[in-house]
Amino acid sequence: MAGSVNKVILVGNLGRDPEVRRLGSGDPVVNLRIATSESWKDKQSGERKEKTEWHSVVIFNENLARVAEQYLKKGSKVYIEGQLQTRKWQDQSGQEKYSTEIVLQRFRGELTLLDSRGGGGGEYGDDQGGGGQISRGGDFGSSSPMERRPAAPASGGGSKYGDIDDDIPF
Amino acid sequence: MAGSVNKVILVGNLGRDPEVRRLGSGDPVVNLRIATSESWKDKQSGERKEKTEWHSVVIFNENLARVAEQYLKKGSKVYIEGQLQTRKWQDQSGQEKYSTEIVLQRFRGELTLLDSRGGGGGEYGDDQGGGGQISRGGDFGSSSPMERRPAAPASGGGSKYGDIDDDIPF
Amino acid sequence: MAGSVNKVILVGNLGRDPEVRRLGSGDPVVNLRIATSESWKDKQSGERKEKTEWHSVVIFNENLARVAEQYLKKGSKVYIEGQLQTRKWQDQSGQEKYSTEIVLQRFRGELTLLDSRGGGGGEYGDDQGGGGQISRGGDFGSSSPMERRPAAPASGGGSKYGDIDDDIPF
Amino acid sequence: MAGSVNKVILVGNLGRDPEVRRLGSGDPVVNLRIATSESWKDKQSGERKEKTEWHSVVIFNENLARVAEQYLKKGSKVYIEGQLQTRKWQDQSGQEKYSTEIVLQRFRGELTLLDSRGGGGGEYGDDQGGGGQISRGGDFGSSSPMERRPAAPASGGGSKYGDIDDDIPF
DNA sequence: TTTT
DNA sequence: TTTT
């Protein structure tokens, strides 16, 4: 449908280390398991209660997948922005199942580290995007009027995967 | 967990009329089925492709449930803000299933009508919230310095459900 | 206008301690100064560059104002959700000036502490909203079908300002 | 600062036609003036009140600037996602002034048309991003496992500015 | 399975 | 004025 928005914003902690699969191309695809929770005081009992929600995140965005692979671990706190996707699959017994995931597509989504332990958080956006260093080379090296505005963080670079150092702002 | 955020933002269209259940209290709970979609041009074939994603939305927020019940119908375009929740259930054969929904809890979430047909869209927020006209009475009737700032939209009112007219800004 | 959304989401650090004013009613209004920044690698020089943006936040939401007053300090990292407002004012010389602020109105907005130092972050939403303990009393103490769904965090309570303990989920 | 987020989400209507400036490179930069508003019922007077907020949006993202130039006009309803930036300038009399704008940087931000008049809304994201057709060529034309997942909308293409048709999903 |  |  034209004119639609599908956006999920999470701030939470990883329940386990990132899981990395590798595509035929060598590109990493990273799965995260992220917990968010709410707590409140039960009016009846006066007890403090808490409910945790678990989210499955899949990162196809190559820059963000590499950042996740290198910098996230069990317990890390992250800001994640992606979109909802539900996919159908079959379990071993042939039963139809549905899974809803937060997906960061190629060139899309955001991932920001929020804990300072271990060397400091980092900030990564799809803005690093595009990725082709050819088109990006000139983008951020110019001194055009536009560039006098603060430039977006850049990525892309000389290697096949871009210069990952570009993605790491610390 | 302290320090977490769980937020979904959708702009899409209803695939069918809202489904309204009523709690023992008489409060409506509304289920929506919302489509978002993306389209892109396939680089290989040159064809324009489109993929639609369907979302299940559950509205417990009483003000927003009543607005949904009264103003939404199949085809309506809405802005929705809620949180992700996955719940487990069993199908007829006893199979465990999981469903992920976008939930608008009591006093939470947002719902904004975006189509102008039928008299114009409306805007409704959790800010109408709280809902007790007792506590709200003074909130919006004062002329305190704070109130010289634009007040949030108000709801609540004289009836059990509040004065629904308060929620309808058109 | 019917059908509009005005939302700002910030994750950043306080540049100084919160400033608290008090309304005639005794309600606190809190001003925050929050920094966000981006860093990128300049393609020309190869240098890493950084640009910081400063944001003025005004919290009218009473629960969140009290949380900000008590738990935030210079350096704190927070997640903030509010709306943009531009107001006109005159400086000493009578010059017209405009200031754009991120405002958390009564019953609106969100504030979540993100740093774990100093006792852990907390999570606070407008969902605590409504605030009148009269209307909220029953809301969270029931065992209605709806309440078997995870309830939203509660606030409100016995004192004029509600039981602030309800707002503190740790 | 590492670990920060600066995001504005607006749904509103253009108060006038887009203003297009052109950089030395020929790239368009588009300025929009967008209204959002809230309405509420005054508890004192019983009157319905409304307050409109005006926002200045600047689009450096080339794909989105071209879309804005071609498809938006006074009255159009749009979903916009950008970041807050305040810049200092001097008026004719040398007075220092500050302006806060919502900026869509290169490869960043989102713009979605929400009105159906005139042939339907369109959806455009930073995901179109990056834009180098070299890197994008293979991205969306492959039949790699990743691509069996729904691909993101693509842009970029054969011309200097990319194939703008790629950006127009209707 | 996280976090407080 | 923060943070890394």
Side-chain angles (χ1 to χ4, degrees), chain D residues 36-98:
Chain D
T36 58
S37 85
E38 295 183 283
S39 80
W40 69 97
K41 196 172 179 178
D42 187 88
K43 289 296 175 190
Q44 206 98 347
S45 66
E47 293 171 284
R48 179 146 291 286
K49 300 200 165 177
E50 182 168 15
K51 175 161 193 304
T52 296
E53 193 69 37
W54 286 96
H55 309 272
S56 292
V57 175
V58 189
I59 309 177
F60 290 107
N61 178 313
E62 290 125 0
N63 284 331
L64 301 184
R66 274 174 281 130
V67 167
E69 186 180 13
Q70 292 191 28
Y71 296 97
L72 298 184
K73 58 178 185 300
K74 182 175 173 175
S76 296
K77 175 161 283 189
V78 286
Y79 171 97
I80 286 272
E81 198 176 313
Q83 60 186 153
L84 281 177
Q85 278 183 17
T86 298
R87 63 189 169 80
K88 193 192 237 174
W89 53 283
Q90 293 197 329
D91 69 7
Q92 336 69 302
S93 69
Q95 283 283 327
E96 272 190 1
K97 303 271 188 179
Y98 291 84

Side-chain angles (χ1 to χ4, degrees), chain A residues 32 79 148:
Chain A
L32 305 177
Y79 172 96
R148 276 187 264 115

Side-chain angles (χ1 to χ4, degrees), chain B residues 4-170:
Chain B
S4 66
V5 173
N6 173 358
K7 183 176 294 289
V8 179
I9 290 173
L10 299 178
V11 173
N13 296 73
L14 272 69
R16 52 177 186 240
D17 288 338
E19 290 171 5
V20 184
R21 291 176 291 139
R22 218 156 282 275
L23 300 177
S25 62
D27 293 330
V29 175
V30 175
N31 287 264
L32 305 177
R33 194 77 180 147
I34 294 182
T36 58
S37 83
E38 293 183 284
S39 80
W40 69 98
K41 195 172 178 179
D42 187 87
K43 289 298 175 191
Q44 206 100 345
S45 66
E47 294 172 282
R48 180 146 291 286
K49 300 200 167 178
E50 182 168 15
K51 174 160 194 307
T52 296
E53 192 71 36
W54 286 96
H55 309 273
S56 292
V57 174
V58 188
I59 309 177
F60 290 106
N61 178 313
E62 289 125 359
N63 284 331
L64 301 184
R66 272 174 283 130
V67 166
E69 185 180 13
Q70 292 191 29
Y71 296 97
L72 298 184
K73 59 178 185 300
K74 182 176 172 175
S76 296
K77 174 161 283 188
V78 287
Y79 171 97
I80 287 270
E81 198 176 312
Q83 57 185 155
L84 280 178
Q85 279 181 18
T86 298
R87 63 189 169 80
K88 193 193 238 175
W89 53 285
Q90 293 197 327
D91 69 7
Q92 338 67 303
S93 69
Q95 282 284 327
E96 274 191 358
K97 304 272 188 177
Y98 290 84
S99 289
T100 298
E101 297 163 325
I102 294 97
V103 176
L104 284 70
Q105 292 285 10
R106 300 190 92 177
F107 312 118
R108 310 200 67 176
E110 295 184 29
L111 188 161
T112 301
L113 275 70
L114 296 176
D115 33 21
S116 40
R117 16 171 186 161
E123 180 190 351
Y124 320 95
D126 51 10
D127 44 293
Q128 294 139 348
Q133 80 271 22
I134 291 165
S135 65
R136 304 300 297 281
D139 293 349
F140 297 92
S142 82
S143 55
S144 70
M146 183 193 138
E147 294 307 313
R148 277 186 264 117
R149 298 268 186 155
S155 83
S159 76
K160 178 176 176 213
Y161 293 133
D163 179 356
I164 188 161
D165 182 51
D166 287 359
D167 297 323
I168 310 304
F170 52 78

